[in-house]
Amino acid sequence: MHAIIQFANAVFNPIIQLGAAPIMLIVLTLLAWALGVKFSKALEGGIKLAIALTGIGAIINLLTTTYQQPLTDFVKSTGINLSITDVGWAPLATITWGSPYTLFFLLVMVVVNLVMLSLKWTNTLDVDVFDIWHISFTALMAMYFGANLFIATLLILLIGVLKIINSDLMKPTFNDLLDAPDDNPMTTTHLNYMMNPFIMILDKLFDKIFPWLDKYDFDSADLNKRIGFWGSHFAIGVYLGVFIGLLSRQDPKEILTLAFIGGVCLELFSQIGSWFIAAVEPLSQGVTDLANKRLNGRKLNIGLDWPFLAGRSEIWAAANVLAPIMLVEALILPGNRILPLGGIIAMGVTPALLVVTRGKIIRMIVIGAIEMPLFLWAGTLSAPFVTGVAKHVGAFPAGLHAGTQIASSTKEGPIEQYLAYLVGKASTGQIEFILYALLALAAYVLIFWWYARQMKKRNAIYAAEKEQANAEA
Amino acid sequence: MIKMLTACGAGVNSSHQIKDAVEAEMKNRGYDVSVDAEMIKDVTPEMMKGVQVFLPINKPDLGFDIDIPEIDAGAILYRMPAMAQPVYDKIETEIKKIQA
């Protein structure tokens, strides 16, 4: 026995010492190879993940070292403490994929999906392997705040099951929004739609208080066309750089430096994010093939990443209008420490608004503005954890102030992040947190149950309309 | 070389799956194809210049009209050869038209 442990240590310790990027290179290459991908292709994917992690680290370094002093000056000159650098979602996805735990949570969710399919609890086969990082992020956050692997897994089991149920509940709405025929199998289990229950509460209130506002709905595609390049990554980086530079009273040269480096970083974050799609690709295909083999012939809906809805212009019109609103909210919101930058185009927020309101643009904006603080607070809450993971996977510069932190201002699933925090804290045995966590989980499930009933009513109306249309035809 | 453009939400995930799949499949069929993957909200009339086939997911509302063939490539995302096949066939038909 002793000899075996010694042997294992001798083999694995040097590999673990290499750090996260090389480990994931080796693991993903071998896994893809085992799933039947050609070795050279598998290795290509593994290397791409490693260079994506390294690249994201380099850009985080550039952004945080450039913005560190101006953000400190910003706090001094305005008295507003917004010291967390908002890097947007792409670095968070990359560093989460840099953690080997992500593969474990992927395995758990694949098993959950297959079990739910075989029990006929769902009709959705989730093939969106890339977005497993949201689940992994939630679990790792719970672990950061004190949960063990078992408790964190239980938490994501609950969230994962509800997510899959939600994809079935939303399916008729997707067909409506896409004007798609019944045999279109597109659906999604994306975490951002777990805001639907909360949004639906606000939507019902809107029905009672402001129904007259709906008549001011405007043409979203037209607004987006007018905004043009001002909504693109580099432009946002440039004018937020100027904004921070002016408020922190830098000289003109420094302001322009901030502007252009902001533009470079925001543009590159999403570019680099796309590099490791190639690394995940063989996994996605492997999972899909495996599931198909077990479900021979059964007709299923297929869970994709959320952007099959991205052609609906309301998503972008609402995000464009919400950007300046979010900036103002960030400046005045008590308890907020994050200044919107990389996450200011809130595409983690607006798809759920589209689904619940079915494209009523004024509602999307008003409800979006009301729920935005949840995202900013979650960004603030998650910052020490995100910074910790970035350090752990070697994607964070060493020479910064101890207090320098990164996060995303519009990371999907803010409520799930609060749950992760509470469950994590409860796991350390503090009585009051055990109570909070249980109450929060109960509320989460109850609100989802209420939402599910509303969606079933909506779906019954869709079905009745279809029947009537068929009868008339 | 035939130039195509696809687009999704962030220009990171879905559009790159389509790009890689279309480029690989068309290479197998003996065509030289290059697909750009973009963020759909950044797609402008200028960006469309020189593009010969547009490969969106579903039917996006771009806010302007395009005068090149548009083929819904969403089915590629299901990762099942039988469902992707018709998309590839349509793309091949358009390529043949362009080359004719």
Side-chain angles (χ1 to χ4, degrees):
Chain A
M1 191 65 202
H2 184 69
I4 295 173
I5 292 171
Q6 220 169 20
F7 175 73
N9 280 342
V11 173
F12 289 113
N13 264 342
I15 299 177
I16 292 167
Q17 295 297 328
L18 289 174
I23 290 176
M24 288 305 279
L25 188 160
I26 295 167
V27 170
L28 276 176
T29 304
L30 293 180
L31 199 57
W33 196 31
L35 285 167
V37 177
K38 250 193 346 198
F39 183 77
S40 64
K41 195 88 190 154
L43 183 64
E44 180 189 345
I47 294 176
K48 279 199 166 162
L49 181 81
I51 62 160
L53 268 175
T54 310
I56 285 284
I59 306 302
I60 290 176
N61 189 2
L62 178 63
L63 187 69
T64 46
T65 47
T66 313
Y67 275 74
Q68 188 177 28
Q69 192 55 46
L71 281 176
T72 313
D73 296 343
F74 180 92
V75 176
K76 262 187 225 146
S77 63
T78 62
I80 304 169
N81 186 2
L82 299 178
S83 53
I84 300 169
T85 307
D86 173 15
V87 295
W89 69 272
L92 272 59
T94 310
I95 61 179
T96 309
W97 265 108
S99 167
Y101 278 114
T102 299
L103 292 169
F104 169 73
F105 296 123
L106 169 64
L107 177 71
V108 170
M109 288 314 299
V110 168
V111 171
V112 166
N113 194 188
L114 289 176
V115 169
M116 287 176 72
L117 279 166
S118 65
L119 294 174
K120 301 255 157 75
W121 284 13
T122 181
N123 250 328
T124 300
L125 170 66
D126 195 3
V127 303
D128 181 17
V129 168
F130 169 75
D131 278 305
I132 203 70
W133 78 269
H134 288 292
I135 281 289
S136 180
F137 182 95
T138 311
L140 290 172
M141 185 165 164
M143 286 161 74
Y144 175 86
F145 284 110
N148 59 31
L149 183 60
F150 178 68
I151 300 279
T153 305
L154 286 183
L155 175 66
I156 58 143
L157 277 177
L158 171 72
I159 296 170
V161 168
L162 296 184
K163 239 162 45 93
I164 292 172
I165 292 173
N166 192 25
S167 72
D168 290 326
L169 292 171
M170 293 186 290
K171 180 58 186 144
T173 307
F174 290 143
N175 286 354
D176 176 21
L177 290 170
L178 296 170
D179 199 14
D182 277 345
D183 60 358
N184 175 316
M186 282 186 187
T187 188
T188 178
T189 68
H190 199 283
L191 185 65
N192 89 76
Y193 298 107
M194 289 305 281
M195 279 305 279
N196 289 7
F198 183 77
I199 294 168
M200 188 164 268
I201 295 174
L202 295 176
D203 190 57
K204 296 278 174 200
L205 288 173
F206 202 103
D207 277 339
K208 297 263 181 293
I209 308 169
F210 308 115
W212 47 272
L213 265 176
D214 287 334
K215 68 170 179 279
Y216 297 104
D217 277 355
F218 52 85
D219 183 351
S220 305
D222 189 51
L223 175 81
N224 296 339
K225 202 171 64 183
R226 278 164 207 265
I227 288 173
F229 87 93
W230 289 103
S232 57
H233 285 118
F234 71 91
I236 289 169
V238 167
Y239 57 69
L240 285 179
V242 170
F243 175 79
I244 291 167
L246 286 174
L247 286 189
S248 61
R249 300 190 189 155
Q250 309 294 313
D251 57 50
K253 181 166 176 276
E254 183 63 17
I255 290 175
L256 289 174
T257 305
L258 287 173
F260 298 146
I261 287 185
V264 167
C265 294
L266 263 51
E267 193 69 28
L268 286 183
F269 276 142
S270 51
Q271 297 260 336
I272 294 172
S274 71
W275 293 352
F276 72 97
I277 296 303
V280 181
E281 183 61 35
L283 280 185
S284 306
Q285 194 61 51
V287 166
T288 312
D289 292 348
L290 175 93
N292 277 326
K293 231 176 271 169
R294 306 203 157 256
L295 302 157
N296 32 4
R298 185 167 152 204
K299 170 131 177 26
L300 295 171
N301 293 324
I302 301 173
L304 304 174
D305 195 358
W306 71 267
F308 63 88
L309 278 182
R312 289 288 301 218
S313 53
E314 297 92 337
I315 286 182
W316 305 109
N320 284 329
V321 176
L322 281 170
I325 296 175
M326 187 195 330
L327 191 57
V328 172
E329 287 186 8
L331 293 173
I332 58 175
L333 185 69
N336 175 48
R337 296 276 170 277
I338 190 163
L339 184 63
L341 181 67
I344 198 164
I345 293 297
M347 62 176 130
V349 180
T350 55
L353 292 165
L354 174 74
V355 167
V356 175
T357 68
R358 287 179 276 189
K360 294 197 180 96
I361 183 72
I362 297 282
R363 283 186 194 228
M364 289 175 67
I365 292 166
V366 172
I367 297 174
I370 295 172
E371 66 167 342
M372 197 57 80
L374 292 178
F375 288 84
L376 292 169
W377 283 323
T380 305
L381 184 67
S382 66
F385 152 68
V386 173
T387 309
V389 179
K391 281 181 182 158
H392 190 71
V393 301
F396 201 79
L400 290 176
H401 287 204
T404 304
Q405 292 185 333
I406 57 167
S408 171
S409 58
T410 50
K411 162 81 178 74
E412 294 87 337
I415 292 175
E416 287 73 16
Q417 291 175 63
Y418 302 131
L419 290 178
Y421 170 77
L422 291 175
V423 168
K425 286 282 180 190
S427 306
T428 61
Q430 297 180 58
I431 298 295
E432 77 254 40
F433 273 107
I434 295 175
L435 198 64
Y436 294 154
L438 288 175
L439 285 174
L441 286 168
Y444 185 70
V445 173
L446 274 177
I447 294 172
F448 186 88
W449 174 77
W450 170 81
Y451 156 81
R453 277 186 43 195
Q454 306 305 312
M455 288 301 274
K456 280 177 189 159
K457 278 186 216 164
R458 178 192 281 195
N459 294 343
I461 294 171
Y462 276 132
E465 280 171 359
K466 205 146 281 167
E467 214 158 279
Q468 199 174 358
N470 286 341
E472 282 165 12
Chain B
M1 189 172 68
I2 309 282
K3 209 174 152 223
M4 307 190 183
L5 187 139
T6 185
C8 68
V12 170
N13 188 14
S14 305
S15 58
H16 274 264
Q17 290 179 30
I18 291 172
K19 169 190 161 70
D20 291 345
V22 170
E23 285 178 350
E25 177 65 22
M26 289 306 125
K27 198 174 156 197
N28 282 342
R29 296 187 184 199
Y31 303 102
D32 185 12
V33 166
S34 157
V35 184
D36 277 345
E38 295 290 342
M39 195 164 172
I40 190 138
K41 76 178 190 57
D42 293 346
V43 175
T44 56
E46 292 83 60
M47 195 181 274
M48 281 288 180
K49 280 194 190 126
V51 175
Q52 291 161 288
V53 183
F54 182 41
L55 304 172
I57 306 166
N58 298 309
K59 297 182 207 74
D61 183 1
L62 295 170
F64 59 90
D65 293 327
I66 55 167
D67 52 8
I68 55 171
E70 178 173 332
I71 300 167
D72 180 352
I76 289 172
L77 300 172
Y78 305 142
R79 304 181 167 284
M80 291 164 207
M83 300 175 93
Q85 193 75 24
V87 179
Y88 297 136
D89 291 346
K90 277 186 210 160
I91 295 173
E92 188 173 5
T93 309
E94 287 303 331
I95 293 176
K96 281 184 179 153
K97 273 193 219 161
I98 291 167
Q99 288 178 338

